[in-house]
Every structure is written in C-alpha cells, then in structure tokens.
Amino acid sequence: MDIIFERLPKNLQEMKELEYASLSKPEYAPALFLAAVKAYVTDKEAAYEMIQFLQGPREFTNADKQFIRDRMMDKADYIVESYFKGSTVENNYTPTLPYTVSLTENPYSYSEEGYVKLFLKSAGADSARPIKVRLKPSTGQWFLWEQSSILMGIRVPVSKDPWA
C-alpha cells in the first residue's frame, strides 16, 4: 500500500489538513510519522506535536523525545528520506516526487486483535522495519504504538561515506 504526499506537513496544523490525519486506516499513522520526523530537522517542537497527535491518548514522554533526539543526532538529514520511493544510498537518499511511502504486511500483521504490524522498507537497510499501530475502538482511529525500529541505523549516503 502506498501513501502519497504532494508536500510534507511542517506542523500539526498542516498535518491535520491532510486526509491521512483521519487515521482511519492502519497505514496512515506510520506514513505521517515519517512526515513528522522529517519536520524534526527544521522544527523539533513541531515534530513532537505531530508525533503526540499520532500517538493518540498515549503520553509522549521526555524519554520518547530523548530517543528521537539520540537517533536523529547524526542522520537527521537523510534517515527519513531513505523510506521514500526513489531514494538510494547512491543518490544520497533523494526521493522521487511526490513523496511516496510504501508499507507492506505479512501473514502475522493482524495476529493480535486491535493492533496491526506494518513494515517500511528503507533504501539503507537490508530488511523492512516494523511499525505497530493500535486501534482506538471508540473513534475507529489507528494510533502509533511501537515505532522505535524506524529510526535505527542505516547505511550512510555516498556523500557522507569516506570510503565511497
């Protein structure tokens, strides 16, 4: 399943203007998470607000913020781009436009009631990374539940690789 962004939101207001902000499908929150983390490069607080929105009623703690800060420290300018179609290590993770996020599922994606585990492929990793969402039955919305694998290390782009 593909989620397409003509432009990426820079803040929560812009995110809420997107149809995906309804969070009515499991794939919406993971795609919007990438957009939120991309905003981190220019506005950390705006990114945090967007992530809090995507987590729904679950608290976005200082530990969560520290986790993101730590993971983005040396790769903020390319990790998110590695998840968009068209990006490669060789082209320094330059995605094709419009920004397209591809999510996949496996036979176990729906094995836990109320949760869905989807997978995002990074051009800088050998295997797709899991991201889990949780359904809030009273609203029918799918919120982020577990996304820590998304920001784990990937291969550095050619422009930053001294051995390239």
Side-chain angles (χ1 to χ4, degrees), residues 1-50:
M1 58 201 83
D2 287 350
I3 302 294
I4 298 169
F5 296 97
E6 293 299 325
R7 63 179 177 74
L8 297 174
K10 293 181 172 70
N11 56 52
L12 183 56
Q13 181 58 42
E14 287 184 14
M15 179 179 276
K16 286 182 174 181
E17 292 170 3
L18 298 172
E19 68 175 286
Y20 307 126
S22 69
L23 303 176
S24 60
K25 295 183 180 179
E27 60 268 25
Y28 290 175
L32 288 170
F33 175 69
L34 291 178
V37 176
K38 175 66 176 155
Y40 180 91
V41 176
T42 55
D43 189 341
K44 292 172 182 55
E45 290 307 314
Y48 293 153
E49 283 183 353
M50 288 189 272

Side-chain angles (χ1 to χ4, degrees), residues 37 40-41 44 48 65-79 151 160:
V37 176
Y40 180 91
V41 176
K44 292 172 182 55
Y48 293 153
K65 292 176 183 178
Q66 184 64 46
F67 179 84
I68 291 172
R69 270 193 305 272
D70 291 349
R71 296 305 172 281
M72 296 295 284
M73 193 172 303
D74 60 348
K75 54 187 170 287
D77 58 340
Y78 64 86
I79 189 145
L151 299 178
K160 294 184 182 280

Side-chain angles (χ1 to χ4, degrees), residues 12 20 22 40 69 84 87-88 93-95 101 104 108 126 130 143:
L12 183 56
Y20 307 126
S22 69
Y40 180 91
R69 270 193 305 272
F84 294 123
S87 69
T88 65
Y93 299 119
T94 304
V101 178
T104 58
Y108 306 103
D126 293 330
F143 293 101

